[in-house]
Amino acid sequence: MHGRANIKAGRDGSLKLGKVSLVKLAAKYGTPLYVMDEDYMRGQCREYLRAFRSRIAGTEVLFASKAFLTRAMAALVRQEGLSIDVVSGNELECALSAGFDPGNVHFHGNNKTPSEIRRGLEVGIGRFIVDNFDELELIAGTASALGKKADIMLRLAPGVEAHTHKYIQTGQTDSKFGLGIADGRADRAVDMALGLPDVRLHGFHCHIGSQIFDIEAYKLAAENMIAFAASVKERTGFVYEELNLGGGLGVRYVEKDRPSSIDQLAELVCSTVVSESKKHGLKVPKLMVEPGRSIVGEAGVTLYTIGAIKDIPGIRTYASVDGGMTDNPRVALYQAEYDAIVANKAKEKPERLYTIAGNACESGDMLIWDIKLPELKAGDLLAVLTTGAYNYSMSSHYNMHAKPPVVFVRGGRAQVVVRGETVKDIMKPQLLPRRLQG
Ligand code: LLP
């Protein structure tokens, strides 16, 4: 029904993720609860390495940590031999605290602060992915002051519009990200970088968007990027060594979603990079890709307890859960769609239409509009699927809800990797000045 290999109904009718009963997990750790299938995530990491390196040896696969970053996750991708990209100083510290070699950490972002840049240079991160002229100047100046060299790539906007939600499209020219190829800013940035003594330019980066189903967009992006590299060589003599084509592969949220496989993506990207390099008389560059969602998305399930059920006759039946936009803002932000299974009734037929509402004080706090489920009762356990990407990492404290714990399951066993917050955690930064105490 839901088509996930790692999710099955057990004989007793309870749902299992990677052989672990979700009903038992909820009883032990409470709800809401993020559960991540570690075997699945490791499998995706290995498949990325296999699919790309079997076609272009030496391809570097970076995990886009913004999709889901915990210390355990950073350690997992490190063990699997991936590099990691970070977009903030705190993500950088998290990766380092999980044992990452700084040289395998690459720093993104459209507005890195002076202190983030200094810290990146001090620890010796792999690459700064430079987004704009101000940043280039700041990095060069900081490197000079510290007596270091900055290793950089330039983030370009290759003029490709991926067919995805407007807020997660990034490769088009009118974007807050990157230096446009079409408008000449990319050329100017190359010239500037080449003239800076403490900056080493290694190559070019682009990221065209996220949750991409139509992978032909990657072909177009690779063609534009390589044509740009060729024109730079002709104009300046600079030969690039590295090409990073970003992340973005889509995953399956609902039954109608048909994402391409990692292997299909690798075939299209690698064959394009090889043939376009040949066409322009360039050496095949070191290829880099940085998937986030496709490594963690389908690994995740969020468990909720059903509470109030409100039947508005002739209109709809709302079933409310003990979480919502605070642990999964994607529905409110992008009109994202999700599928769910009643974990304690996994063998019962879905026969009633429900709308699953969150518990935040906001009408837009919905998790699923119109889903057929078995008859629900308060206390039932709802498992929302494909919540591994951009849920935990985008969670909030709205209404002072505590962030749920995160549990990894592997080989039939579960382990907490982030403990659930308590009211004490939430109150910890809160100060009550003396004048407000009387
Ligand atoms: N590289 C760069 C430079 C990125 O900006 C992103 C995602 C990735 C890689 C990873 O893309 P992925 O493989 O995960 O699609 N919050 C939105 C998604 C934002 C994506 C931001 N950048 C969502 O929940 O759909």
Side-chain angles (χ1 to χ4, degrees):
M1 150 191 71
H2 50 80
R4 267 81 162 180
N6 55 346
I7 297 178
K8 292 198 173 71
R11 242 176 267 139
D12 61 352
S14 78
L15 195 67
K16 295 188 163 184
L17 176 73
K19 300 202 191 103
V20 175
S21 158
L22 294 175
V23 176
K24 283 192 185 149
L25 281 187
K28 185 160 180 195
Y29 301 110
T31 58
L33 180 68
Y34 294 113
V35 189
M36 305 285 289
D37 181 347
E38 181 174 338
D39 294 312
Y40 177 91
M41 297 189 283
R42 289 186 183 274
Q44 295 298 90
C45 292
R46 288 172 199 174
E47 177 57 5
Y48 262 103
L49 290 177
R50 184 207 62 77
F52 279 89
R53 289 188 176 165
S54 65
R55 294 175 167 102
I56 297 184
T59 298
E60 186 173 352
V61 179
L62 291 64
F63 172 58
S65 69
K66 70 205 82 180
F68 174 70
L69 185 60
T70 65
R71 295 181 69 202
M73 187 63 202
L76 184 157
V77 297
R78 172 180 55 73
Q79 286 181 347
E80 290 300 331
L82 269 59
S83 300
I84 195 163
D85 86 46
V86 298
V87 291
S88 73
N90 291 350
E91 284 187 351
L92 170 61
E93 297 308 328
C94 181
L96 296 177
S97 82
F100 250 102
D101 176 341
N104 294 332
V105 183
H106 305 293
F107 208 146
H108 278 283
N110 66 307
N111 193 22
K112 303 173 187 77
T113 66
S115 65
E116 288 173 331
I117 288 171
R118 194 174 331 108
R119 178 73 176 147
L121 284 164
E122 278 167 359
V123 300
I125 56 149
R127 302 281 178 267
F128 283 103
I129 317 297
V130 176
D131 184 89
N132 54 65
F133 296 107
D134 293 327
E135 183 187 325
L136 185 51
E137 228 167 83
L138 194 58
I139 289 177
T142 315
S144 305
L146 293 173
K148 305 230 179 223
K149 300 279 180 217
D151 293 297
I152 71 158
M153 300 180 77
L154 292 175
R155 174 158 182 174
L156 310 183
V160 173
E161 290 189 34
H163 295 138
T164 183
H165 190 280
K166 186 163 162 265
Y167 287 173
I168 49 183
Q169 263 179 9
T170 39
Q172 73 277 22
T173 306
D174 181 2
S175 166
K176 80 166 183 172
F177 293 109
L179 298 146
I181 292 180
D183 61 25
R185 286 182 309 139
D187 273 317
R188 271 172 45 220
V190 171
D191 295 347
M192 186 170 154
L194 293 177
L196 294 166
D198 295 318
V199 163
R200 292 191 287 240
L201 176 62
H202 293 271
F204 306 117
H205 170 284
C206 72
H207 170 75
I208 55 176
S210 198
Q211 185 59 358
I212 294 172
F213 286 149
D214 179 8
I215 61 171
E216 283 297 306
Y218 287 97
K219 185 169 169 10
L220 212 60
E223 285 170 359
N224 291 358
M225 294 293 283
I226 296 170
F228 175 75
S231 77
V232 166
K233 182 181 171 199
E234 194 157 302
R235 198 171 57 76
T236 67
F238 170 76
V239 179
Y240 82 143
E241 305 143 18
E242 295 173 359
L243 174 64
N244 185 330
L245 292 175
L249 183 63
V251 301
R252 184 176 207 192
Y253 286 98
V254 290
E255 220 172 315
K256 64 176 192 280
D257 291 340
R258 290 279 176 275
S260 299
S261 67
I262 295 168
D263 197 61
Q264 286 167 329
L265 175 71
E267 177 54 32
L268 179 77
V269 165
C270 295
S271 63
T272 308
V273 169
V274 169
S275 65
E276 290 299 300
S277 300
K278 194 164 168 208
K279 181 171 126 193
H280 291 284
L282 290 168
K283 208 175 101 205
V284 174
K286 172 176 168 179
L287 183 62
M288 297 157 114
V289 286
E290 42 192 32
R293 190 190 315 263
S294 50
I295 289 182
V296 291
E298 292 186 42
V301 162
T302 308
L303 297 177
Y304 303 95
T305 302
I306 300 283
I309 298 174
K310 182 183 287 181
D311 187 23
I312 307 178
I315 308 223
R316 70 174 65 239
T317 304
Y318 288 97
S320 292
V321 294
D322 50 355
M325 66 184 291
T326 53
D327 58 79
N328 181 1
R330 299 193 67 260
V331 181
L333 267 176
Y334 319 116
Q335 298 83 47
E337 290 180 280
Y338 284 89
D339 200 356
I341 300 170
V342 183
N344 56 317
K345 296 178 174 171
K347 286 199 162 159
E348 291 181 26
K349 279 216 167 61
E351 49 202 16
R352 263 197 80 167
L353 201 59
Y354 290 96
T355 286
I356 307 299
N359 62 349
C361 204
E362 175 109 6
S363 297
D365 178 22
M366 291 295 158
L367 284 178
I368 305 176
W369 291 95
D370 296 332
I371 179 170
K372 267 201 162 162
L373 295 171
E375 182 79 29
L376 289 176
K377 279 206 182 59
D380 281 341
L381 191 64
L382 191 73
V384 176
L385 309 183
T386 315
T387 56
Y390 302 107
N391 276 221
Y392 172 74
S393 61
M394 293 176 78
S395 60
S396 79
H397 281 134
Y398 183 46
N399 293 162
M400 283 207 177
H401 284 304
K403 295 195 182 186
V406 183
V407 168
F408 277 12
V409 298
R410 181 176 202 205
R413 297 172 67 133
Q415 209 159 28
V416 177
V417 298
V418 181
R419 64 169 177 75
E421 286 177 336
T422 62
V423 66
K424 231 174 160 178
D425 293 320
I426 294 179
M427 290 303 163
K428 206 170 164 198
Q430 304 277 338
L431 305 176
L432 199 55
R434 191 175 297 265
R435 74 192 149 76
L436 297 174
Q437 287 177 13

